[in-house]
Amino acid sequence: MPSFQVGFGWRGDAKFPSWLSVLTNLVDIKIWGPSKFKHFPSLAQLPCLQDLVISFLDELEYMDDNIPSGRQGNTEPFFPSLKVLSLRHCPNMKSWWRTAEAIGDDSNKDDTTVMETSTMAFPCLSSLEIRNCPLTSMPFYPSRPLKQTMKMNMNAKTSSSSTSSLPLSKLKSFDVDNIEGLDTHTQDECLQRLTSLKKLTIGDCKEVDLEGMQWEALKNLSHLVIDNIPQLVSLPLGLQHLVQLKTLEICNCSGLRSLFPVFQHLTFLEEFSVRNCKELELSAPNFQIFQDHTSLRSLRLQNIPKCTYLPEWLQHLTNLQQLYLLDLPNLTSLPHEMRCLTRLESLQIERVLRFEERRRKHFGADWRKIGHIPFTLL
């Protein structure tokens, strides 16, 4: 498989070699810093390129110096075979092209007409990751910026043929983190067409209100990660529509206080992880959110200061196979209900100070609760 990789401080000219765009058999391109590149030669027409990863280029300002004309009848391919696009930690990359506004950006034009006369970009894209890159435009249609592309998606005809040809219609993994200007309305419009999406990561997006989003369209979503959304107080009600959701990860949400009332409806979950949520309450009296979660296979609780004990709801996780209890400074002991977890294969307890003191002092009493577990790491 023809591959091109550049990394660890390219010491040549800050201009990227122009001959790269001539290597038409390239399938995989990975470029990472530290390097002084400010832009690349056009890679959009490489017919075989399937994977493009750009990482840790502090001085990169834009991806391409050649802006498509957007003329009617323009059929020039734009990443025709690309399946994986990953842009990570390029803090100065604010636009795909040298100019922040793509040619052909006329807000008064009819969006559907533009969609029919523009070359569609990334027709095979299945995985998109944008992390810590302050992009304000993304060429899903080469002659239109990101927000107008999403608007076109919403205004497009709803026939199956037109829907399947829309940008992102084949996307299965979408990882968006620390994107400037990404508000709830913009992301919501985008998500409405992501009917094939399997995995979604939303991180460090301060302008996004997860409660106000429309989740119904993501009927095939199986893996959801919510990371560093400090304004999140409780789980969005719309999550109860995600009937295929198998894995839910919540981390670094400093304002999260409760999993009610949504979590009790997510009875199809197989993996649940919650980390670094200092206000989350899991030990309140009559806290029974897990009583119907018989499908749960893996549970991870990490750095939750308000978790003082694991109450009787633990006994309902009859199919639990893995349990991780990490950095729980106020957890004093394990409940007797641990003996009900007959299918538990792995238990990991680390940095649980009060439990460690109790275990040293009363080893026999606590060991009887977990002695049936094949693998235990304390």
Side-chain angles (χ1 to χ4, degrees):
M1 182 178 68
S3 176
F4 180 83
Q5 299 190 27
V6 172
F8 296 109
W10 171 282
R11 297 184 181 277
D13 195 323
K15 293 182 179 179
F16 209 83
S18 59
W19 45 257
L20 182 62
S21 57
V22 182
L23 304 180
T24 56
N25 290 325
L26 278 176
V27 175
D28 184 358
I29 296 179
K30 292 182 173 65
I31 305 169
W32 66 96
S35 296
K36 295 184 179 297
F37 300 128
K38 293 185 180 295
H39 65 90
F40 303 132
S42 181
L43 306 174
Q45 280 72 52
L46 291 175
C48 300
L49 186 62
Q50 296 183 16
D51 290 70
L52 177 59
V53 177
I54 309 295
S55 304
F56 296 99
L57 298 181
D58 291 343
E59 299 191 28
L60 186 67
E61 296 177 356
Y62 51 93
M63 287 287 294
D64 196 336
D65 200 23
N66 301 315
I67 305 175
S69 64
R71 294 187 301 269
Q72 186 168 351
N74 178 17
T75 58
E76 190 175 14
F78 197 89
F79 291 100
S81 301
L82 197 69
K83 295 180 179 179
V84 177
L85 174 60
S86 181
L87 307 175
R88 308 169 185 157
H89 308 290
C90 300
N92 285 311
M93 188 170 69
K94 300 185 182 298
S95 178
W96 191 272
W97 292 283
R98 181 190 293 269
T99 56
E101 188 174 3
I103 289 178
D105 180 18
D106 184 351
S107 301
N108 295 322
K109 287 185 178 181
D110 178 75
D111 291 322
T112 305
T113 301
V114 173
M115 181 173 57
E116 291 171 350
T117 60
S118 297
T119 301
M120 193 184 78
F122 309 114
C124 298
L125 194 67
S126 62
S127 177
L128 173 62
E129 178 184 17
I130 307 176
R131 285 184 168 270
N132 194 27
C133 295
L135 283 168
T136 57
S137 65
M138 210 27 215
F140 297 120
Y141 281 101
S143 61
R144 309 295 284 183
L146 176 59
K147 288 189 177 182
Q148 291 206 358
T149 294
M150 294 176 177
K151 185 178 180 182
M152 283 191 290
N153 281 357
M154 295 300 293
N155 293 342
K157 298 175 182 178
T158 57
S159 67
S160 58
S161 59
S162 64
T163 300
S164 62
S165 64
L166 287 169
L168 308 180
S169 62
K170 297 181 180 179
L171 201 66
K172 291 182 170 58
S173 177
F174 188 21
D175 188 330
V176 56
D177 185 276
N178 190 20
I179 304 298
E180 289 186 4
L182 183 63
D183 55 21
T184 302
H185 179 70
T186 303
Q187 179 156 308
D188 212 21
E189 287 185 342
C190 176
L191 293 178
Q192 296 308 299
R193 293 291 180 176
L194 302 186
T195 55
S196 298
L197 200 65
K198 296 290 187 180
K199 180 179 179 180
L200 173 64
T201 299
I202 302 176
D204 198 16
C205 296
K206 298 178 176 59
E207 299 178 41
V208 172
D209 176 17
L210 298 183
E211 184 60 53
M213 286 172 49
Q214 303 297 316
W215 295 88
E216 291 87 340
L218 302 180
K219 57 184 179 181
N220 292 314
L221 196 69
S222 60
H223 192 147
L224 175 62
V225 180
I226 300 174
D227 183 10
N228 194 19
I229 308 291
Q231 66 271 28
L232 184 68
V233 177
S234 60
L235 292 184
L237 290 173
L239 294 189
Q240 61 187 304
H241 298 293
L242 305 182
V243 295
Q244 299 293 329
L245 194 65
K246 303 298 183 184
T247 301
L248 176 60
E249 300 179 43
I250 305 172
C251 44
N252 305 311
C253 293
S254 58
L256 183 65
R257 297 178 179 275
S258 174
L259 300 177
F260 277 116
V262 175
F263 196 86
Q264 58 192 348
H265 298 290
L266 304 181
T267 56
F268 28 78
L269 277 180
E270 296 180 359
E271 299 181 24
F272 177 58
S273 174
V274 57
R275 309 192 308 271
N276 303 329
C277 297
K278 62 181 182 180
E279 296 298 326
L280 182 61
E281 178 62 77
L282 288 177
S283 303
N286 301 318
F287 198 83
Q288 296 291 336
I289 62 169
F290 288 100
Q291 61 185 2
D292 296 320
H293 286 70
T294 56
S295 297
L296 204 65
R297 302 289 190 274
S298 176
L299 174 62
R300 185 185 191 94
L301 305 177
Q302 181 172 351
N303 193 14
I304 306 175
K306 291 192 174 183
C307 182
T308 57
Y309 61 92
L310 303 177
E312 66 274 8
W313 50 253
L314 199 67
Q315 65 184 307
H316 301 298
L317 307 182
T318 53
N319 289 308
L320 194 68
Q321 297 175 2
Q322 298 175 326
L323 176 60
Y324 304 93
L325 306 174
L326 310 173
D327 298 302
L328 304 177
N330 296 311
L331 182 64
T332 57
S333 65
L334 297 178
H336 291 286
E337 285 77 15
M338 290 288 297
R339 288 178 290 186
C340 299
L341 306 182
T342 57
R343 296 192 178 183
L344 197 62
E345 299 175 354
S346 177
L347 170 65
Q348 183 175 350
I349 303 176
E350 293 186 14
R351 297 178 296 279
V352 183
L353 298 180
R354 294 191 180 184
F355 173 73
E356 290 176 356
E357 293 174 0
R358 173 182 168 83
R359 180 170 59 90
R360 286 194 297 267
K361 194 173 183 179
H362 306 285
F363 184 84
D366 277 336
W367 184 255
R368 284 195 295 269
K369 304 172 187 176
I370 59 177
H372 64 283
I373 303 172
F375 178 77
T376 302
L377 178 61
L378 301 176

